[in-house]
Amino acid sequence: MIAPRLELSNVTRTYRSGNETVMALDGVSLVIEPGELVAIVGASGSGKSTLMNILGCLDRSDRGHYRVDGIDVSTLDADGLAHLRRDRFGFVFQRYHLVNALSIAGNVELPGIYAGMPAARRRERAARLVEQLGLADKLPFRPNELSGGQQQRIAIARALMNDAGVVLADEPTGALDRRSGDLVLSVLKDLHEQGRTVIIVTHDHDVASHAGRIIEIADGAIISDTRLSAARKNTAASGVATVASRSARASISSLTSAFGMSFKAMAAQKLRTGLTMLGIVIGITAVVAVIGLGEGARIQVMNQLAGLGTNTLVIYPGRSFGDADASKIVSMTTSDVDALAAQFYVDSATPEILTSQKARSGARALDLQVSGVGPSYFRANGLKLISGRLLTQEDLVDAYANIVLSELAASSLFGSAEAVGQQVLLGKTPATVIGVAALPDVRGRAASAYMTHTALRARLSGTLPLTNITLRVRDGIDTNLAERAASNLLQRRHGVKDFFIINNDQIRRSTERTMATFSLLIAALATVALVVGGIGVMNIMLISVTERTREIGLRMALGARQRDIMAQFMIEAVAVCLVGGGLGVALAIALSFVSNALVLPLPILLSAGAVLLAAGFTLLIGLAFGYLPARGAARLDPVRALASE
Ligand code: ADP
Ligand code: MG
């Protein structure tokens, strides 16, 4: 406990209300020695509270100087004043100013939180102080469960939490009955006995008569200053004051207390907090689910695109897909394929002739789609060999009856047995399975067989025209240029343009562009949902700050710095958002399970990335939308805030 020497010289404080100026203090000079018990008396409106607020560093003078242990407080910033309040002064107010959302223990501990006192020591000290005032059994109660006199004694315990050297009591008995008032006064006298400076504002002359010194004020000026007894001499600083230990542990402890307080504040307004949270829950669910939907759609489209192969051009007869005359066009021949294959921009060219055949192996039979292709077909179309081998140039030249089966065809014809080396009857033609290949896309579910186009022509059907020609463009050559060159070549050979070319890269690129636009749209919608949620949070924080203005003033009086208040409200906003965000993610996960269980056409694919993004977003929203209300709270004037209703 350190009781400083307080020295006012010529202090003036004016208030402006409307266009009137009220001079609440008019050139007050006064020295209060450590250990004095001072009673300040005077009519209502004479300036007593203004004087107390300046003495306690809650307010500043307009003119004149106030020195605390020789330090001129006008040289201190808001945080400097907060430090002084925290470590040197303990306030006791007429209306107790206890926080109803906190227990008695929580209220008494408050100044310790701002002093960075470790939680265990805080709890123990609060319990001891409350016990000394005879209210140990009230620790878990709420303030409104106590009588006025009991509440005022709790307020005194709170004032002593940081071992204040100066106790300032502004009409502490004004709202109490005689008996409770006497009890409170005797407690204050005890504090004086212990060597503290005690300054009491009172109307009660009986109280004043106990004081060692009575100062009478009228119209903002001291009209009498009577010393009845000398200041107590046992004022040597006993022990070290509970000055903040700003260690990392203390910071963590104060952060956890801040989170604890914010959850208490949320719990005190369950419905309101719940509704605000609902906005965030909906926003985050929308974001996560919509990202999941986009991801599901993207993977579906990508799977389909994977089947297109890269760097490939596919040439079909006719003007476009669905051309009714296409089947009559037979001008596309294998010599076209050879001519194309000889071009420098072509990596490989392969025709495809499609037909279907009944396939048989022992007792098993199956309708097979049979493709007559060249050896480069597999590479151009992205098929992967699973077992055996693929078709070769030799197969092509000699028109061997060798076939490669798709996975489905192999398993349908041979079950789990090894297909490679087995015989299959295609219609009446026997063929040997030389390999099994995986199709890269949704067509993977098709039962297909591949043989060389020479074999297909020689053994199955000699008259079928080419269904298409697939070109793989040489690496490093622009597919658009290759497309134009191939088109010119074929047109020259046929004399007319009786074909069309599908450029897979173009399809892929335009599909990817469409997907990107789609994702952007989705992201925009989700952002709107989140911003709406965030505005809800901001609104509720603004209301909360307005409602709790008095509490903010109180916290400042107890030593909270601006950044403590700021942190408290930011943490409240962030906590609401994080809890809401957590619920939103949970809801989105539930939705994805439902969508998977119902096998909806568009699945919701949740990724850790989307969840992390959502978490980041909620944090950001809490910070962004909590900032303004929190700053508003931090910038409140402590005296005005305390006086607010
Ligand atoms: P007391 O505590 O002795 O009743 P105060 O110190 O509260 O008196 O007030 C002194 C004078 O200053 C009064 O005339 C009061 O109306 C005026 N006053 C106090 N606070 C304000 C304020 N925030 N704005 C305008 N006038 C104020
Ligand atoms: Mg007053």
Side-chain angles (χ1 to χ4, degrees), residues 36 87 132-133 161 168 193 206-208 246 260 264 279 314 412 432 450 471 492 528 552 555 562 572 576 592 598 609:
E36 281 198 277
D87 299 334
Q132 281 168 9
L133 293 172
M161 186 65 194
L168 299 159
E193 294 291 324
D206 197 32
V207 174
R246 280 281 153 196
K264 280 179 189 138
V314 187
S412 303
T432 308
Y450 304 89
L471 293 187
R492 240 181 300 122
V528 168
I552 294 165
R555 286 174 185 274
Q562 289 188 336
E572 278 192 39
V576 169
S592 90
L598 299 179

Side-chain angles (χ1 to χ4, degrees), residues 480-517:
N480 291 325
L481 290 178
E483 179 187 347
R484 227 171 300 148
S487 179
N488 288 339
L489 177 77
L490 280 185
Q491 208 164 331
R492 240 181 300 122
R493 290 175 60 89
H494 296 183
V496 291
K497 188 170 186 298
D498 55 355
F499 58 89
F500 64 95
I501 301 180
I502 300 295
N503 183 336
N504 285 345
D505 284 346
Q506 237 164 39
I507 294 179
R508 183 188 322 260
R509 241 172 284 144
S510 72
T511 310
E512 275 165 4
R513 261 201 305 276
T514 312
M515 290 301 299
T517 315

Side-chain angles (χ1 to χ4, degrees), residues 48-49 170-171:
K48 305 182 295 293
S49 293
D170 193 348
E171 305 195 36

Side-chain angles (χ1 to χ4, degrees), residues 87 99 143 163 233 250 320 407 465 470 496 538 599:
D87 299 334
V99 181
D163 211 11
K233 282 296 161 214
S320 67
E407 267 180 301
T470 305
V496 291
M538 175 135 105
V599 199

